[in-house]
């Protein structure tokens, strides 16, 4: 092993030959990766601290570095270790060295000036060290410098006789820490320490309070600092609030497509420096180098990290894997980048192993070139160069694809006459030529041009806004209703205009304007949905948009991870639920418009979505509950109505009943509080919008009953007090989520109630009376497919009667498959005429489709034409067969 390391690292050869490495100590170390415990055991650090032996401490840290670096080089050049081990080992050593030096420096000045105390908390203050760059991402090289920032919690002063304010105290601590690591002595250096990433760089104070850091980031923080802080990681063990104040600076709450321009600008600066200094052979900064891989990972973190906390990662490789897992980067592209990154980092390490220098430049000496090639597994330097070139070319191609400036859309010059509306006559001519109601469209454009919103757009936003409008007009012109489409597009553009990131998205991806126009042409509902939740614009560029494979188990796991990543932040968790639900609803609606779903199938998916949201919400809400007596709630949610029957629409509310099964004395009170909190999570309006309207009136005793019922109370009520209409509701009820034992109990109770023997004539009269009671508030008019005689409600009442009257003898009716399937089951049992059942199934499907299209597709309210009246008549015939009398009020349906 040592001979191989000597061959590829003259630096290691010198360490061994000089005797600086005791082989009796060193050789046993090579058997396994180094751990922090190995660093702790290397020297008597406590004695050095107690003796205030600064020179001895500095010497031992430098000796330890020699062992650590040699250990890494020997194992890596012999291919015993992998990239993770190399970078993690040197990063862990850097953390150990920083903390050891900090402990010494702190104690040194504490003896001199006393303990620093916070002015407001009156608590002892400690210095937090933030590792930036590769140290923050566990990605250090053996010869890297370490980028650090020093932060202390609050202003104040020391409590010693020689009082110093905290700023002065921690400045001295920071200076000594740097000297212990950075100063070159006869034993070398531990790490070069670079402090230039701190606020205001070299001209700024060496240390700053958390308040000062927050004020700087808010008032002066620049885009490149967001990029830098993305990898920022506190490596000291003391209490601090740094992460909470840095996160909103780095990760914007909304999708941040402005990050593209910021990253382009930073990359241009680097490319310029590379070009000036002739650094094309630099595997880090040159074309297709390490930095470009890092940029690709971080551009998506900058854009999406605020919305998707799982992307708030420090390491490049873990970020690329997460991007692939989330479908943001294709698996193929992620694999390409990961392979290139590993190769380039291996090259970088071997360049630095040679003489322990911080270099990323390929060698020019033939001997070193050949040895580099051999260490990388190639026969000669030419073959190595070919392999390196292939990786760099692949990286650069992906980099240019992702970060290149958007192409200007190809459109005729005359579209420029639409905006800015300088020449009204020219604008009218262009609009009229392309089928618009020119006066209406031009009036809207003029209104926008004169609005305060437009006049107050920023210098960055206004050019984007101006470039988008002609493209919008061209996209609208290709639609069947160009004027309506353009008006919707313009109203939407006005709404998002203050959020420059959305303008940047449309500017970066001009092709999505055509898709946006197609959607808005078909649906005012989706237009309104997008206007309320413009973050969904991002879905228009997603490869999953038209993918009809909804893997709910996988989506549930992703949602659970998203909630967990919020670290108990209630508002953030509520927003995660809403964004997840909005995204899936939007995907379904777009696919629905494209004709990819039947009405039954889309309702199944919307119901599965609601089930998934409820299943994710319960543990999150319970974790947020104070004063609870058990770790897992003994609780369940029962879905009624459309949710229970899996017939949800896009705007359906959730009819819920809450049950618990818990004998603890505080159970009733606890679960009432929990039910209130859960309902609030589901229905409250937050910054991310709304989720569901929740209706709890179907619980026992309605609004006057407890918000949540014990299973025993629910069972007693159903057997002894419930009205027939409540048993009708129970036919469409199902367990959604919660304690499995409650599901078993609920299914038993439901079966007992529904299969109870009932006088059929009496039951029929009760259901007929209940139906006719609805006339006062919902007249059975022919233009209402829901309430007309022979309409939706009549089908539902027929099915409910059949279940209550016959499920005792035909238990297959208990299966909650929905009304269409249940009509078929009833016909199969011989309870109703098969032909009438099929015609009623067709009618019910037609009604639901009309309701659906009225909501989604801008369809006009249904008119009672011959087709509709025939459907009504068929259901009325089935009603007469089931109940033995013609439905009253039928004359209003003709």
């Amino acid at each position: 092993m040592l001979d191989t390391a000597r061959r590829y690292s003259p630096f290691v050869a010198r360490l061994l030959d000089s005797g600086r490495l005791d082989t009796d100590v060193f050789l046993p170390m090579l058997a396994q990766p180094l751990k922090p415990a190995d660093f702790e055991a290397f020297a008597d650090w406590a004695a050095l601290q107690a003796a205030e032996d600064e020179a001895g401490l500095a010497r031992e840290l430098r000796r330890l570095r020699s062992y650590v670096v040699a250990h890494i080089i020997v194992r890596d050049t012999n291919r015993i270790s992998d990239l993770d081990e190399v970078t993690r080992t040197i990063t862990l050593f850097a953390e150990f060295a920083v903390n050891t030096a900090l402990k010494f420096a702190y104690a040194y000045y504490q003896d001199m000036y006393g303990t620093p105390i916070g002015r407001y908390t009156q608590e002892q203050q400690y210095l937090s060290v933030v590792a930036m760059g590769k140290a923050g991402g566990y990605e250090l090289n053996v010869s890297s410098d370490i980028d650090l920032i020093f932060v202390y919690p609050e202003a104040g002063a020391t409590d010693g006789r020689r009082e110093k304010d905290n700023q002065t105290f921690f400045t001295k601590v920071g200076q000594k820490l740097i000297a212990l690591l950075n100063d070159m002595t006869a034993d070398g250096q531990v790490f070069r320490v670079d402090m230039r990433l701190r606020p205001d760089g070299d001209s700024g104070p060496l240390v700053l309070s958390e308040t000062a850091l927050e004020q700087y980031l808010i008032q002066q923080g620049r885009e490149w600092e967001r990029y830098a802080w993305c990898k920022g990681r506190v490596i000291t063990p003391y209490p601090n609030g740094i992460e909470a104040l840095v996160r909103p600076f780095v990760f914007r709450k909304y999708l941040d497509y402005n990050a593209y321009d910021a990253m382009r600008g930073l990359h241009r600066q680097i490319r310029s420096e590379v070009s000036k200094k002739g650094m094309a052979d630099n595997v880090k900064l040159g074309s297709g180098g390490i930095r470009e891989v890092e940029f690709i990972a971080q551009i998506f973190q900058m854009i999406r990290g605020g919305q998707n906390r799982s992307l708030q990662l420090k390491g490049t490789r873990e970020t690329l894997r997460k991007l692939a897992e989330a479908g943001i980067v294709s698996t193929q592209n992620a694999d390409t980048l990961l392979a290139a990154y590993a190769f380039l980092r291996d090259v970088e390490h071997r360049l630095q192993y040679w003489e322990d220098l911080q270099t990323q430049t390929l060698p020019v000496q033939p001997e070193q070139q050949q040895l580099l090639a051999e260490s990388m597994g190639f026969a000669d330097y030419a073959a190595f160069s070919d392999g390196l070139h292939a990786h760099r070319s692949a990286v650069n191609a992906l980099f240019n694809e992702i970060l290149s400036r958007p192409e200007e859309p190809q459109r005729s010059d005359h579209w420029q006459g639409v905006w800015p509306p300088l020449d009204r006559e020219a604008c009218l001519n262009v609009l009229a030529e392309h089928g618009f109601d020119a006066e209406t469209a031009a009036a809207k454009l003029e209104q926008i041009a004169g609005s305060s919103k437009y006049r107050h757009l920023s210098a960055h936003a206004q050019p984007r806004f101006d470039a988008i409008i002609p493209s919008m007009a061209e996209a609208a012109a290709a639609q069947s209703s160009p004027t309506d489409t353009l008006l919707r597009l313009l109203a939407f553009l006005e709404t998002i205009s203050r959020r420059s990131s959305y303008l940047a998205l449309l500017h970066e991806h001009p092709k999505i304007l055509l898709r946006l126009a197609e959607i808005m042409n078909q649906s005012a509902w989706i237009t309104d949905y997008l206007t309320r939740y413009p973050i969904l614009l991002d879905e228009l560029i997603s490869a999953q948009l038209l993918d009809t494979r909804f893997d709910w188990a996988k989506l549930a796991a992703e949602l659970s991870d998203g909630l967990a990543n919020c670290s108990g932040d209630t508002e953030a968790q509520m927003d995660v639920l809403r964004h997840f639900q909005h995204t899936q609803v939007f995907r379904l609606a777009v696919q629905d418009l494209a004709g990819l779903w039947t009405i039954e199938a889309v309702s199944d998916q919307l119901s599965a979505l609601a089930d998934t949201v409820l299943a994710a919400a319960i543990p999150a809400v319970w974790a947020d509950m104070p004063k609870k007596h058990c770790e897992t709630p003994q609780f369940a949610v029962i879905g009624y109505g459309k949710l229970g029957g899996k017939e949800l629409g896009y705007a359906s509310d959730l009819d819920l009943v809450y049950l618990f099964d818990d004998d603890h004395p505080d159970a009733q009170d606890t679960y009432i509080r929990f039910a209130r909190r859960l309902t609030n999570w589901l229905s409250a309006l937050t910054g991310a919008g709304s989720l569901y309207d929740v209706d709890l009136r179907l619980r026992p005793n309605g609004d006057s009953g407890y918000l949540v019922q014990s299973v025993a109370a629910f069972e007693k009520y159903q057997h002894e007090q419930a009205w027939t209409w409540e048993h009708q509701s129970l036919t469409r009820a199902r367990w959604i989520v919660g304690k499995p034992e409650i599901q078993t109990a609920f299914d038993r109770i439901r079966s007992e109630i529904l299969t109870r023997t009932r006088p059929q004539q009496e039951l029929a009269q009760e259901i007929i009376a209940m139906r006719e009671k609805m006339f006062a508030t919902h007249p059975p008019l022919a233009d209402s497919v829901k309430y007309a005689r022979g309409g939706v409600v009549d089908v539902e009442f027929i099915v409910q009667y059949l279940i209550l009257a016959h499920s005792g003898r035909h238990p297959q009716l208990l299966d909650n498959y929905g009304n269409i399937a249940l009509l078929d089951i009833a016909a199969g049992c011989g309870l109703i005429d098969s032909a009438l059942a099929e015609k009623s199934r067709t009618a019910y499907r037609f009604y639901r489709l009309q309701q659906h299209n009225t909501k989604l597709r801008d369809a006009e309210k249904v008119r009672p034409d011959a087709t509709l009246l025939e459907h009504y008549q068929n259901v009325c015939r089935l009603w007469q067969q089931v109940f033995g009398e013609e439905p009253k009020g039928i004359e209003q349906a003709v």
Side-chain angles (χ1 to χ4, degrees), residues 665-699:
D666 297 332
Q668 183 81 56
D669 178 63
T670 299
Y671 291 114
I672 286 174
R673 289 188 291 110
F674 178 56
R676 287 198 189 101
R677 191 173 292 242
L678 175 60
T679 303
N680 183 63
W681 272 55
L682 295 172
S683 58
L685 185 65
T686 74
S690 60
L691 196 55
Y692 292 105
D693 289 329
V694 175
D695 192 336
L696 303 175
R697 290 174 297 176
L698 290 177
R699 67 186 186 270

Side-chain angles (χ1 to χ4, degrees), residues 10 38 44 101 119 168 178 347 427 432 454 462 465 489 567 587 597 606 644 648-649 653 729 734 749 803 828 841:
D38 299 313
D44 191 345
R119 178 180 301 159
T168 301
I178 293 170
V347 173
C427 178
Y454 177 71
Q462 194 169 85
F465 190 97
L489 286 166
S567 305
R587 278 183 62 194
W597 293 99
L606 288 168
L648 279 186
D653 57 8
S729 298
R734 65 184 175 92
I749 296 165
I803 294 171
R841 278 157 50 88

